Amino acid sequence: MDPIATRQAVMKNNGAAMGTLVKMAKGEAPFEASGANLAARVLFNSTVGFTALFPAGTETGGDTAASPKIWEDMAGFAAKDAALQEAAAAIIATPITDLDGVKAAIGTLGKTCQGCHETYRIKKDG
């Protein structure tokens, strides 16, 4: 298993899940409760074991956008992962039933995702 490729695939799936919610919120896709709730489940599932995809020696290579700060502060990184898991679990526990629920989920999940990306992701130009 290539941990860099695997974590990139996980993040691509996360982006697709958030994209589903954003498209619904913007009216670019019709609201669909099952799709919205599946997106929350994708985000929840991605957090389980995610930090294990960052073993020593994978700081570089594979066009990674992972910041060296991950390995310098693995406990902080793990806490951000746990925060996303908690946010997604709360949405799963009270399923999305309408467009307002989609918008609330985006706010909660987006803030959690962004909090991690600000610290632990290298911004790429372009």
Side-chain angles (χ1 to χ4, degrees):
M1 178 184 89
D2 177 354
I4 294 173
T6 302
R7 67 189 187 224
Q8 288 173 336
V10 168
M11 294 306 293
K12 190 173 197 170
N13 286 339
N14 285 354
M18 283 298 290
T20 295
L21 295 171
V22 169
K23 286 179 183 175
M24 285 183 198
K26 288 183 173 181
E28 296 171 0
F31 169 74
E32 182 183 88
S34 62
N37 288 294
L38 179 59
R41 287 188 179 280
V42 165
L43 292 163
F44 175 81
N45 290 340
S46 74
T47 63
V48 179
F50 186 64
T51 58
L53 297 174
F54 295 83
T58 63
E59 297 87 348
T60 61
D63 196 31
T64 185
S67 170
K69 292 178 184 176
I70 292 170
W71 292 269
E72 296 165 6
D73 180 24
M74 188 56 77
F77 181 62
K80 295 289 188 180
D81 183 55
L84 177 57
Q85 188 173 33
E86 185 178 312
I91 293 166
I92 292 167
T94 307
I96 299 168
T97 59
D98 57 24
L99 197 54
D100 286 337
V102 169
K103 291 175 182 176
I106 290 169
T108 300
L109 296 168
K111 187 167 77 171
T112 305
C113 292
Q114 187 60 33
C116 187
H117 288 187
E118 287 175 357
T119 304
Y120 299 108
R121 183 179 68 172
I122 296 170
K123 293 181 181 163
K124 298 202 175 199
D125 296 331

